[in-house]
Amino acid sequence: MGFSGWRILREGLTGNRGWRPHWRDPAPKSSYDTVIIGGGGHGLATAYYLAREHGLTDVAVLEKGYLGGGNVGRNTTIVRANYNLPGNSEFYSHSLKLWEGLEQDLNFNAMMSQRGVLNLFHSDGQRDYAARRGNSMINQGDDAVLLDREGVRRMVPYLDFDQGRFPIYGGLFHPRGGTARHDAVAWGYARGADRRGVDLIQNCAVTGIDIEGGRVTGVQTTRGAIRARRVGIVVAGRSSQVAAMAGMRLPIESHILQAFVTEGLKPVIDHVVTFGMGHFYISQSDKGGLVFGGDLDFHASYAARGNLPMAEHVMEAAMTLMPVIGKARVLRSWGGIMDMSPDGSPIIDRTEVEGLYLNCGWCYGGFKAVPGSGFSFAHLIATGRPHEPAARFRLDRFATGRGLMDEEGTGAQHNLH
Amino acid sequence: MRIDCPLCGARDRREFSVLGDAAMAVRPEVGADTQTWSDWLHLRDNTAGRLRELWYHEGGCAAWLVVERDTVSHAVHGVSLVGASDAD
């Protein structure tokens, strides 16, 4: 079933009675060529690109809950390619290019909105770093504009420019960044994968990973055993538990990251604005809610909800940056479970078990990575070779110290990112 | 979330900072191979459920504590001072 303006008009005139489910609900078969564990954004994108790029359709996606019910539905929907370090830079650049063609590719309205991402800076030193990062982005082939204070003021006049602690010196603007509709991304990939023959199996939790002679042979699930030649683990938030089924310990701690949304308001915030010194960022959804978030709570958590101290901190940062927000009322808050890696960068790699592949460690950057992660993970699974933009996301970089991607320059240890 | 400091009594979470899994308190032997050190530094059980963690009472008595906490419910089950049995 495709979408078009004509179709929507016709359905509107006939009571919307013609719409049908967008994907099948198949029972699991006893065997697949490839099994993807995890039906979130990354898992569904992986299945889609396995089918589209590599012609692999004997594929099942196993999801313990419902499709897109995890972190792809628990984020702040920001899409960007404004990284500094080699590794992250080319990966997110590739991912953003996929975002830009996603809706046409999937024939699904992902509400991709390239409204621009503005990172503020508050000192001469920060300006120098912003200039350097902007140059890295331009060298990578993406876009960046260094704005002075007046340039920022013209763009976002509602900020408090003269606050004593963090006066606004300017900003680094990334015009191609923006937001996308989180659920639609999962649904679009799900439909695209299903149409190409991938079985999307919900309410199917993996309980064991079968390994014989150092080779993966299948998985045990709550809906029976499934044999498979290749298995991909892509379950950020629960990576340690699933990897443990294969006898692995991962360099991952699961942490909580909170976000908040206000009641719907008339358009006021036209961009994504980030206030790094307050660990605060904000955009406005198409429905009108101000969507904003802060930093980790910093204690390990699988609760998918945070604690009050960080909620207070985020509200204080909001008031510091833009006092106008004090008139908005917060509607609700949520938390996503973040796979935190020691250097703050992800892992897409093979494992020591032949045929078992790992995709994890997205920290707080998983949403914008969805297309690139799926594309690169599918490439790795299908060809056995790393995809060039993700070639540095190696699992062994922590042990060897080579190729660490520590964007914050704080060190490659847990609890520092 | 409140943590019952053995020296100060029950205090708000704001007074504390967290380091992580209490396994960090037990270092590998001096001269252990690099793989052992790397595993100690980087790999985690990352328990979903009851976990023993190192917390620091930054805004109080400045003691290091072992807090047994449920990472799924955030319930705190027990707090003790880091003792000789926890650290080398």
Side-chain angles (χ1 to χ4, degrees):
Chain A
M1 182 187 315
F3 287 107
S4 64
W6 164 244
R7 180 77 199 273
I8 287 169
L9 181 66
R10 197 183 67 184
E11 291 293 339
L13 292 172
T14 56
N16 284 304
R17 286 189 292 268
W19 300 112
R20 296 287 174 266
H22 284 276
W23 50 82
R24 298 165 295 128
D25 186 20
K29 294 191 290 188
S30 62
S31 171
Y32 291 91
D33 176 73
T34 303
V35 161
I36 302 298
I37 306 173
H42 292 239
L44 293 166
T46 303
Y48 174 77
Y49 291 117
L50 278 172
R52 199 196 75 168
E53 295 296 311
H54 305 283
L56 297 176
T57 56
D58 187 18
V59 175
V61 176
L62 308 182
E63 166 54 46
K64 74 171 177 179
Y66 60 93
L67 296 182
N71 284 334
V72 76
R74 310 183 74 83
N75 52 71
T76 48
T77 77
I78 296 167
V79 171
R80 58 186 169 88
N82 57 355
Y83 281 72
N84 184 39
L85 294 182
N88 284 329
S89 183
E90 61 263 35
F91 173 81
Y92 286 106
S93 179
H94 178 244
S95 194
L96 182 58
K97 292 187 185 87
L98 291 173
W99 276 111
E100 288 173 327
L102 193 66
E103 292 169 313
Q104 289 70 29
D105 187 22
L106 296 174
N107 176 238
F108 207 94
N109 182 7
M111 296 166 71
M112 175 71 178
S113 165
Q114 292 180 289
R115 58 188 67 181
V117 174
L118 177 65
N119 300 135
L120 299 171
F121 51 79
H122 313 273
S123 69
D124 292 332
Q126 280 197 312
R127 181 195 288 117
D128 290 346
Y129 176 68
R132 178 169 178 236
R133 183 149 77 121
N135 286 335
S136 297
M137 291 156 64
I138 290 167
N139 284 340
Q140 180 59 50
D142 296 313
D143 58 348
V145 182
L146 193 69
L147 297 173
D148 63 8
R149 180 184 167 92
E150 290 315 307
V152 172
R153 196 194 294 274
R154 277 193 295 277
M155 186 179 284
V156 285
Y158 49 82
L159 302 183
D160 180 359
F161 284 81
D162 299 314
Q163 47 162 298
R165 181 66 183 87
F166 296 115
I168 294 170
Y169 276 43
L172 184 64
F173 188 57
H174 171 41
R176 282 169 58 220
T179 62
R181 166 77 187 164
H182 48 96
D183 290 327
V185 177
W187 298 336
Y189 275 123
R191 190 181 67 144
D194 175 83
R195 279 179 156 185
R196 286 167 171 79
V198 172
D199 281 359
L200 307 176
I201 299 164
Q202 304 180 65
N203 299 309
C204 180
V206 170
T207 56
I209 295 175
D210 299 332
I211 299 165
E212 286 173 24
R215 230 208 113 73
V216 74
T217 58
V219 294
Q220 301 291 322
T221 79
T222 51
R223 297 178 69 177
I226 299 173
R227 278 179 288 121
R229 197 163 69 83
R230 293 178 286 212
V231 174
I233 299 173
V234 49
V235 293
R238 289 278 175 174
S239 299
S240 299
Q241 282 71 36
V242 177
M245 295 175 195
M248 296 170 66
R249 288 176 84 220
L250 297 182
I252 298 288
E253 285 186 358
S254 292
H255 282 257
I256 195 76
L257 185 68
Q258 299 192 63
F260 309 84
V261 65
T262 70
E263 61 194 336
L265 302 168
K266 288 185 177 177
V268 52
I269 296 175
D270 299 330
H271 316 86
V272 178
V273 180
T274 79
F275 172 38
M277 297 315 293
H279 306 291
F280 176 82
Y281 55 97
I282 187 164
S283 65
Q284 187 166 17
S285 78
D286 289 356
K287 207 161 63 180
L290 306 183
V291 180
F292 54 94
D295 209 347
L296 297 177
D297 277 32
F298 278 107
H299 55 74
S301 174
Y302 289 88
R305 60 180 163 73
N307 273 295
L308 198 53
M310 185 49 70
E312 281 182 351
H313 177 88
V314 170
M315 302 303 160
E316 287 165 4
M319 288 300 291
T320 303
L321 179 68
M322 40 185 298
V324 64
I325 202 173
K327 298 197 174 186
R329 281 173 292 200
V330 174
L331 206 57
R332 59 194 169 88
S333 70
W334 63 92
I337 306 172
M338 307 292 109
D339 259 21
M340 295 305 298
S341 69
D343 66 353
S345 294
I347 296 160
I348 297 179
D349 206 349
R350 56 172 72 85
T351 68
E352 290 182 2
V353 178
E354 188 67 26
L356 182 67
Y357 300 89
L358 182 66
N359 177 322
C360 66
W362 290 98
C363 300
Y364 14 67
F367 181 73
K368 62 185 168 291
V370 163
S373 166
F375 198 99
S376 292
F377 198 39
H379 185 279
L380 176 67
I381 292 170
T383 67
R385 295 188 308 278
H387 185 229
E388 198 53 42
R392 295 182 192 232
F393 292 171
R394 294 170 62 113
L395 182 56
D396 67 2
R397 68 180 185 268
F398 306 105
T400 64
R402 284 194 296 274
L404 292 165
M405 285 159 285
D406 173 11
E407 290 276 346
E408 296 182 1
T410 50
Q413 286 184 40
H414 290 292
N415 219 22
L416 297 180
H417 292 272
Chain B
M1 204 160 86
R2 288 170 77 77
I3 293 173
D4 197 357
C5 174
L7 301 179
C8 309
R11 298 295 182 88
D12 190 88
R13 182 254 181 272
R14 289 169 180 81
E15 293 190 5
F16 300 85
S17 56
V18 59
L19 183 66
D21 194 324
M24 285 293 283
V26 184
R27 290 168 182 258
E29 299 286 327
V30 174
D33 59 31
T34 51
Q35 188 65 48
T36 305
W37 278 100
S38 173
D39 291 355
W40 172 79
L41 189 60
H42 299 122
L43 302 189
R44 294 286 182 271
D45 290 334
N46 198 18
T47 309
R50 285 198 183 197
L51 175 66
R52 296 176 76 249
E53 293 175 317
L54 293 174
W55 286 72
Y56 178 57
H57 197 176
E58 191 174 17
C61 60
W64 278 97
L65 308 173
V66 175
V67 176
E68 187 177 348
R69 196 176 61 88
D70 193 313
T71 58
V72 177
S73 68
H74 294 168
V76 175
H77 292 289
V79 185
S80 59
L81 294 171
V82 172
S85 61
D86 300 303
D88 49 46

